[in-house]
Amino acid sequence: MAKRGKSRDTLVWTVVAGLLLIGIGLYLRDRGLLKLPEPKPVAPAERAKDLAKKYPNAEVFSGPEADKKKP
């Protein structure tokens, strides 16, 4: 049977340690012991202004009513 090198063993243990840390972090988060920062929701009016600045030539639709054809 062929022997593995030290570098391969190091890689395996690094992956195992990383997966353990991720698992512990997820467990603590689910139990409420680890609080991660959450992004603040952006108001729709502010988001609309930001999108208008980013895409000035974009066509604007008011909603599903804009898809209906007028008789």
Side-chain angles (χ1 to χ4, degrees), residues 29-55:
R29 185 194 66 180
D30 289 344
R31 295 289 177 187
L33 301 173
L34 179 65
K35 302 273 183 174
L36 298 176
E38 295 182 13
K40 293 181 183 178
V42 180
E46 187 176 329
R47 175 142 170 82
K49 288 178 187 175
D50 292 342
L51 289 173
K53 287 179 189 174
K54 189 173 183 181
Y55 304 106

Side-chain angles (χ1 to χ4, degrees), residues 6-69:
K6 276 193 171 222
S7 63
R8 186 169 174 159
D9 287 342
T10 305
L11 175 65
V12 169
W13 286 113
T14 303
V15 170
V16 168
L19 290 174
L20 279 172
L21 288 174
I22 290 171
I24 291 169
L26 289 173
Y27 174 80
L28 292 175
R29 185 194 66 180
D30 289 344
R31 295 289 177 187
L33 301 173
L34 179 65
K35 302 273 183 174
L36 298 176
E38 295 182 13
K40 293 181 183 178
V42 180
E46 187 176 329
R47 175 142 170 82
K49 288 178 187 175
D50 292 342
L51 289 173
K53 287 179 189 174
K54 189 173 183 181
Y55 304 106
N57 297 330
E59 195 172 339
V60 179
F61 295 101
S62 62
E65 302 85 26
D67 292 337
K68 296 178 183 175
K69 293 182 179 179

